[in-house]
Amino acid sequence: MSHHDCCEHEHHHEHHGGQRQLWMIAATVILLVGAVIVEKNTELSTWQLLLVYLVPYFLIATGTLKEAAEGVVHGNPFNEYLLMSVATIGALTIGFLPGAETEFPEAVFVMLFFQIGELFEGYAEGKSRDSIAHLMDIRPDTARLADQEETVHPEQVPMGAVIEIRPGEKVPLDGVIINGASTLNTMALTGESVPCEVTEGDEVISGCINMSGVLRVRTTKTFGESTVSKIIHLVEDASEHKSQSEAFITKFARIYTPIVVSLAIAIAIIPTLLGGFFATWLYRALMFLVVSCPCALVISVPLTFFGGIGCASRKGVLVKGANFLDILSKVDTVVFDKTGTLTYGRFAVEAVHPDICDENQLLHLAAHVEHFSNHPIGTALRDAFPDEATDGCVVSSVEEVAGKGIRAKVDDKVICVGNTKMMEWVGAQWHDCDNDTGTIIHVAIDGTYAGHIVINDVVKSDSKEAIARLKALGVKKTIMLTGDRKDVAHRVAQKLGIDEYHAELLPTDKVTIIEEKLFSDTLSPVSIAFVGDGINDAPVLARADVGIAMGGLGSDAAIESADVVLMDDQPSKIATAILIARRTLSIARQNIWFAIGVKALVLILATFGLATMWLAVFADVGVTILAVLNAMRALGVDNEK
């Protein structure tokens, strides 16, 4: 079975597991309602009532009881499953003591609510879980040795061999071009939309797509050491080093469970050994267990987290698990990818600087020359002059000059549009752009330099707001990492108010920078969120404390590797997510301390026989209701506050 098939099988299994749990919950509710009706309308003995309630109890509790038993067998008994098992079994048995009321419905209801919480947790954590097989799309499957028609697997190509890469093929191994010129689509690796022009002597990296000319490349690395293999390896291994926070209830249960169970046993046995009446102290011990029933925590704490997750989802933020809210609330450094995250990854004309004609004429000629081009720059030029297709000009003799640009005849003029190499090729006296940074497109008319056009990636409309809101929330530092040129990175960082930027990076460089930030100060550790959108961002998304991916336009691999997904691609939602996480954690802590405080007080009273069963029920059910009502506030966190 292939990796992809395995993942489909697991997804299929999870889907049907969730359906089974839903059917179990539905069946339990029906049986529980029937049991309550039977109890209210007939005179049944305690044993008969127990048998009636055991049917829904075992239907819903089997998994929890099994988890508790496995914990005991594997030497880790003190978890929430044992806590639930002991408390509910205690509630089922307390009715058999002389003078005690039955607590059968409570036992089943507590277990039912626990299972519903488990179901929601499984749904939230698995909402966006897909196979990282999507990442394999960038892994080249074949390599063509020079002067051979047959292809081989890239693993069979030794270092130093000469390979041939034809238009439309992926670059299978890292190397240096020894013959040919072309344009490479590097978006899968660098995340940058503008294709990279390469010629003899230039280095190429695996995973790029050759768009035009035939290239001959001498390999400098084996397949296992190539860039694309390293990216995939980083994604597969980075999760092992991820900083994880356990959910509050799991942390607390490790301390709470052994203490409660030990105290209950002590209450039943020690006074009896000292001459006390066993039935009295056993009753107090069981009442102690009823009071200590963890439903207030088991229900309200997960409900708080899932309320926060639900609120975030309504705001367009998908959080993959409650523990990521915990981490997100502590974030003090936010690191951004540029293209597709802070910018649209869509290019547009930003400025036109003519030398011998007006702006409109320069754009008009450039758009005509790029009429047949599917290059992003050609699209940007045509979009800037939409009338070029209907103004009656005749375009002929269109010629693409590899590594330089395009030459064409517009009416009776020869127009050359391209880079500085194109200008030098036709003898035009070009000059740099002094006012703007970006991709500079030079234009020559009949061999005379006519001016240049500045094209830039369009900054998202809410990127500046995103940085401002993060700083207002107290985020200490914002950083931008990009594979783009330094001048472009500087322009974007300055425009948005970003504190620090690093340019001309490969994915492995981004991971290195993140790790340097994580471990640079052991006395004052930072908590880092990384925001990205492309396959190239998958390793660093997985390596950061919390990875945030753009979901609408982001790659499948980035979404899989991330812990939080912004479904509408708006970076301003990062501040919303942090605010929701902080509020959710605050509510969860309120519930924990309230439940512990009330229960501790009533437990002390129960130990000395000063608490009645009514007070015990309040300490259990009443506290639960109040905690749940407080938890419901997490569903309505106002992100504007």
Side-chain angles (χ1 to χ4, degrees):
M1 183 181 288
S2 69
H3 178 72
H4 181 68
D5 292 335
C6 285
C7 291
E8 283 187 346
H9 174 74
E10 287 172 12
H11 181 75
H12 181 76
H13 176 74
E14 287 177 3
H15 175 69
H16 284 280
Q19 281 190 332
R20 273 200 309 275
Q21 207 166 4
L22 280 172
W23 278 111
M24 285 171 58
I25 290 172
T28 303
V29 170
I30 294 169
L31 290 170
L32 193 53
V33 170
V36 173
I37 293 171
V38 168
E39 182 179 1
K40 297 294 183 184
N41 293 281
T42 61
E43 294 295 331
L44 297 177
S45 69
T46 302
W47 279 107
Q48 288 170 324
L49 276 176
L50 175 63
L51 291 174
V52 170
Y53 280 104
L54 280 179
V55 176
Y57 178 79
F58 280 117
L59 180 65
I60 199 70
T62 304
T64 301
L65 296 172
K66 183 181 177 183
E67 291 280 357
E70 288 179 355
V72 172
V73 170
H74 294 138
N76 182 31
F78 298 119
N79 53 47
E80 65 267 34
Y81 299 107
L82 180 67
L83 202 62
M84 287 300 303
S85 300
V86 171
T88 53
I89 291 171
L92 287 170
T93 57
I94 198 170
F96 292 96
L97 290 175
E101 295 182 8
T102 59
E103 301 291 342
F104 303 145
E106 182 190 63
V108 185
F109 270 117
V110 168
M111 189 61 77
L112 177 64
F113 291 146
F114 179 71
Q115 290 299 329
I116 291 173
E118 289 279 289
L119 179 65
F120 282 133
E121 184 173 8
Y123 173 78
E125 291 178 351
K127 177 69 177 174
S128 292
R129 188 178 300 142
D130 287 317
S131 167
I132 65 167
H134 297 296
L135 186 61
M136 302 306 146
D137 290 342
I138 67 168
R139 188 198 294 268
D141 299 320
T142 60
R144 188 190 312 277
L145 292 169
D147 303 319
Q148 292 185 18
E149 281 301 314
E150 291 185 5
T151 59
V152 298
H153 193 278
E155 288 182 343
Q156 297 176 256
V157 179
M159 189 170 65
V162 177
I163 58 175
E164 185 176 281
I165 308 162
R166 299 176 181 178
E169 294 180 345
K170 293 174 186 171
V171 177
L173 299 126
D174 296 6
V176 177
I177 299 173
I178 59 173
N179 187 273
S182 182
T183 303
L184 298 180
N185 181 346
T186 64
M187 193 166 185
L189 293 172
T190 66
E192 303 310 317
S193 300
V194 176
C196 174
E197 293 170 348
V198 291
T199 187
E200 288 182 23
D202 290 340
E203 292 185 1
V204 293
I205 55 178
S206 54
C208 301
I209 299 173
N210 184 20
M211 297 177 66
S212 51
V214 176
L215 297 176
R216 287 201 167 198
V217 174
R218 187 178 302 280
T219 62
T220 55
K221 293 179 182 177
T222 60
F223 182 66
E225 292 297 315
S226 64
T227 301
V228 69
S229 295
K230 286 183 177 179
I231 291 174
I232 294 169
H233 178 72
L234 280 169
V235 174
E236 290 171 344
D237 290 353
S239 59
E240 296 178 10
H241 307 288
K242 182 182 286 292
S243 171
Q244 294 282 3
S245 285
E246 294 178 285
F248 279 115
I249 188 60
T250 304
K251 293 178 184 176
F252 179 70
R254 288 180 177 175
I255 303 171
Y256 181 73
T257 308
I259 291 175
V260 164
V261 174
S262 300
L263 286 175
I265 294 171
I267 289 169
I269 294 176
I270 294 175
T272 303
L273 295 175
L274 296 175
F277 185 54
F278 176 69
T280 300
W281 288 102
L282 180 61
Y283 176 82
R284 290 183 183 181
L286 290 174
M287 187 165 62
F288 185 93
L289 283 175
V290 171
V291 175
S292 65
C293 180
C295 54
L297 294 173
V298 169
I299 297 170
S300 70
V301 173
L303 181 61
T304 303
F305 281 108
F306 299 131
I309 290 171
C311 177
S313 68
R314 290 200 304 273
K315 304 289 186 184
V317 180
L318 176 62
V319 182
K320 291 188 178 180
N323 56 325
F324 298 123
L325 282 177
D326 187 3
I327 302 168
L328 198 58
S329 69
K330 302 181 181 76
V331 165
D332 56 15
T333 301
V334 180
V335 182
F336 294 90
D337 172 52
K338 181 182 76 68
T339 306
T341 303
L342 293 172
T343 66
Y344 286 109
R346 184 180 69 245
F347 287 81
V349 171
E350 189 169 276
V352 181
H353 299 296
D355 275 25
I356 60 173
C357 58
D358 60 31
E359 291 184 8
N360 192 62
Q361 179 71 0
L362 194 67
L363 264 180
H364 159 244
L365 294 171
H368 272 304
V369 171
E370 296 280 356
H371 178 77
F372 299 103
S373 173
N374 56 6
H375 193 289
I377 287 175
T379 304
L381 290 169
R382 291 195 302 274
D383 289 344
F385 196 82
D387 296 333
E388 61 91 16
T390 58
D391 66 358
C393 290
V394 178
V395 181
S396 60
S397 304
V398 179
E399 177 189 358
E400 184 170 347
V401 184
K404 296 181 177 66
I406 299 177
R407 178 171 64 178
K409 197 170 184 179
V410 180
D411 290 338
D412 58 346
K413 297 176 181 178
V414 176
I415 312 298
C416 293
V417 178
N419 55 24
T420 56
K421 292 178 182 177
M422 171 65 92
M423 296 300 102
E424 291 168 356
W425 188 60
V426 299
Q429 298 297 312
W430 62 275
H431 61 81
D432 272 328
C433 181
D434 298 324
N435 301 321
D436 299 287
T437 59
T439 300
I440 310 299
I441 306 302
H442 298 275
V443 181
I445 303 174
D446 291 330
T448 301
Y449 189 65
H452 53 261
I453 300 167
V454 182
I455 293 178
N456 267 313
D457 192 357
V458 181
V459 175
K460 289 185 178 179
S461 56
D462 70 334
S463 289
K464 191 168 186 178
E465 177 195 351
I467 304 301
R469 287 187 61 193
L470 287 172
K471 291 183 177 179
L473 283 175
V475 170
K476 295 177 183 176
K477 183 175 279 190
T478 53
I479 302 170
M480 183 179 74
L481 308 181
T482 178
D484 214 337
R485 303 193 315 273
K486 287 183 180 179
D487 57 340
V488 176
H490 176 75
R491 180 186 67 86
V492 174
Q494 193 173 46
K495 184 174 183 178
L496 300 181
I498 291 172
D499 300 319
E500 181 182 326
Y501 70 88
H502 301 267
E504 299 177 9
L505 303 174
L506 290 173
T508 49
D509 300 327
K510 294 180 181 180
V511 174
T512 301
I513 290 172
I514 288 292
E515 290 187 337
E516 286 174 356
K517 299 293 181 185
L518 283 170
F519 302 114
S520 60
D521 190 350
T522 54
L523 296 177
S524 181
V526 297
S527 182
I528 292 179
F530 178 81
V531 192
D533 76 306
I535 290 177
N536 63 294
D537 295 323
V540 68
L541 280 167
R543 184 64 189 92
D545 289 314
V546 59
I548 304 174
M550 296 289 164
L553 298 174
S555 74
D556 291 335
I559 294 171
E560 168 61 30
S561 301
D563 310 309
V564 179
V565 181
L566 307 182
M567 299 309 295
D568 55 7
D569 283 357
Q570 295 183 19
S572 60
K573 293 295 178 69
I574 301 164
T576 300
I578 291 175
L579 186 62
I580 290 172
R582 290 179 181 177
R583 178 76 181 279
T584 302
L585 266 291
S586 174
I587 293 171
R589 291 190 186 103
Q590 291 168 16
N591 282 341
I592 288 172
W593 289 113
F594 172 68
I596 292 173
V598 173
K599 284 182 178 291
L601 176 62
V602 179
L603 285 174
I604 293 170
L605 295 175
T607 303
F608 293 100
L610 300 175
T612 64
M613 186 57 69
W614 284 107
L615 188 57
V617 170
F618 168 75
D620 180 21
V621 180
V623 168
T624 299
I625 292 172
L626 292 174
V628 166
L629 289 175
N630 190 45
M632 296 295 286
R633 293 168 51 224
L635 290 167
V637 174
D638 185 356
N639 70 301
E640 297 302 326
K641 292 182 180 178

